[in-house]
Amino acid sequence: MLFSARVQALALLVQQVAAKYDATVCDQKSYTSSDDLTFNPNAWNPDGKGFQCISVQDSPPTFDATWSWVEEPQTVHSYPHVKLTAPALPAPLSNISALILTAQWSMGPGKTPLPVLSLNESGLADVGATANVAFDIFADRNPAKSEDATTAETEIMIWVGKVGSAQPLGYDPDSNCILNQTVGHVKFVLYHGKNHRETDVFTWLATSSEPSFAAEISPLLQYLWRNGLISPASYIGVVEFGTEAFHSLENVTFSASNFHMDLLIGPAPALVVDLLPDACSFAESAGHRSVYDSCLSRMSIIGTVAAVLYFL
């Protein structure tokens, strides 16, 4: 009875938003807009009692994702997102001179979208919400595999928002391995783990939520391949922006706008990056070892980053 009532409520929600948006899709369906952006609710791990829908406006491109997952609170159930595009994809990591990612977002309880740049943390806490807001990048040494999130050997996440108890794969509060990098004004911490497909997942977690994000993030990529965690011959083939939804006792709505990717191809800037601290086992756990130990010094990404770092 409760499940039937939830389905009826979902149907009513879809009817209510139909007039406002160009499309509303749920579960695993997708929608491609007039400018070739693909939007997907991506409810890849439903809990049987929850739901996930995404409503899209073509011009200007925006989307609102409403969801509720009541079971398995520490498990990701969906990733409603937009797939960003660039003519140069797939692109070798070592031939990326700049990758600028931009997005604005909001999140709060209920089915009504909040104004852009709003994060209702207290309201989300009241409904037990657990989620992140993240760019998701997939890479593989085979360019064809890099264009498929299910076959790519490496996933690189850039969390620009964190709600509730959400933690990246490999999170360990007692670890002595703390790897920090800064792009723009945002400081990130690196984590590594493996997902259910045994894919290597590297997560750069922002130390504060950033409802308006615009930065040249290739230094984060360079840290990985210059330290041998990812092969410099890997291609990135997929770049997405959305929210991983873990848990909520009631509806949560995530809204996204002004999302964009600018990919500049050319020789990668000769950035000097920190080496892995001795306390870290990232290289071994990722199945790689650093090939740059003899030529890189222990310096932060400074100075030369300014030449390639800019904001939209």
Side-chain angles (χ1 to χ4, degrees):
M1 182 66 68
L2 289 176
F3 179 70
S4 176
R6 183 177 289 274
V7 172
Q8 292 175 3
L10 174 58
L12 179 61
L13 172 64
V14 172
Q15 292 174 5
Q16 291 173 337
V17 302
K20 180 181 178 182
Y21 300 100
D22 292 292
T24 295
V25 292
C26 303
D27 304 321
Q28 285 279 49
K29 297 177 182 179
S30 63
Y31 170 75
T32 301
S33 67
S34 55
D35 54 0
D36 292 327
L37 289 172
T38 299
F39 300 82
N40 195 326
N42 196 20
W44 61 272
N45 184 31
D47 67 9
K49 295 183 179 180
F51 75 94
Q52 168 74 76
C53 291
I54 189 169
S55 298
V56 181
Q57 178 180 293
D58 276 13
S59 183
T62 62
F63 72 89
D64 299 319
T66 299
W67 57 272
S68 174
W69 303 112
V70 298
E71 297 182 342
E72 300 179 32
Q74 299 305 315
T75 300
V76 176
H77 294 285
S78 60
Y79 176 62
H81 67 269
V82 58
K83 183 178 180 181
L84 304 176
T85 61
L89 292 179
L93 284 172
S94 58
N95 199 37
I96 292 175
S97 61
L99 176 57
I100 303 97
L101 299 179
T102 304
Q104 294 182 325
W105 56 272
S106 65
M107 189 185 298
K111 63 183 181 182
T112 302
L114 293 179
V116 70
L117 309 185
S118 301
L119 178 60
N120 186 345
E121 293 183 283
S122 62
L124 291 167
D126 289 342
V127 299
T130 303
N132 68 29
V133 180
F135 292 93
D136 207 5
I137 301 171
F138 291 89
D140 197 284
R141 286 165 289 185
N142 181 320
K145 288 185 177 181
S146 76
E147 296 183 279
D148 187 338
T150 65
T151 62
E153 63 186 346
T154 304
E155 182 176 6
I156 305 165
M157 301 198 77
I158 301 174
W159 287 26
V160 296
K162 178 179 176 297
V163 173
S165 59
Q167 299 293 356
L169 288 172
Y171 174 77
D172 180 1
D174 299 320
S175 175
N176 293 321
C177 178
I178 305 298
L179 308 176
N180 299 317
Q181 296 295 342
T182 299
V183 292
H185 67 281
V186 184
K187 181 179 179 180
F188 289 90
V189 181
L190 179 63
Y191 298 91
H192 170 261
K194 289 182 179 290
N195 65 16
H196 62 288
R197 288 193 293 265
E198 290 299 304
T199 304
D200 281 308
V201 181
F202 295 92
T203 301
W204 287 104
L205 170 63
T207 56
S208 61
S209 290
E210 302 291 331
S212 182
F213 182 81
E216 201 286 283
I217 60 89
S218 69
L220 302 181
L221 304 180
Q222 285 214 29
Y223 187 96
L224 300 177
W225 65 261
R226 288 194 183 276
N227 270 303
L229 301 177
I230 299 174
S231 169
S234 291
Y235 293 76
I236 64 167
V238 175
V239 180
E240 301 166 337
F241 175 71
T243 175
E244 285 188 314
F246 291 68
H247 176 70
S248 178
L249 297 174
E250 299 179 20
N251 288 350
V252 167
T253 296
F254 167 80
S255 301
S257 61
N258 295 317
F259 35 78
H260 194 68
M261 168 177 60
D262 285 304
L263 175 62
L264 305 181
I265 297 300
L271 304 181
V272 180
V273 300
D274 283 346
L275 293 181
L276 295 174
D278 293 338
C280 296
S281 59
F282 277 56
E284 291 77 8
S285 61
H288 302 286
R289 63 179 181 85
S290 174
V291 295
Y292 293 94
D293 287 351
S294 62
C295 60
L296 292 182
S297 62
R298 292 180 178 269
M299 296 176 62
S300 298
I301 299 178
I302 56 175
T304 53
V305 175
V308 297
L309 181 62
Y310 64 91
F311 294 91
L312 294 179

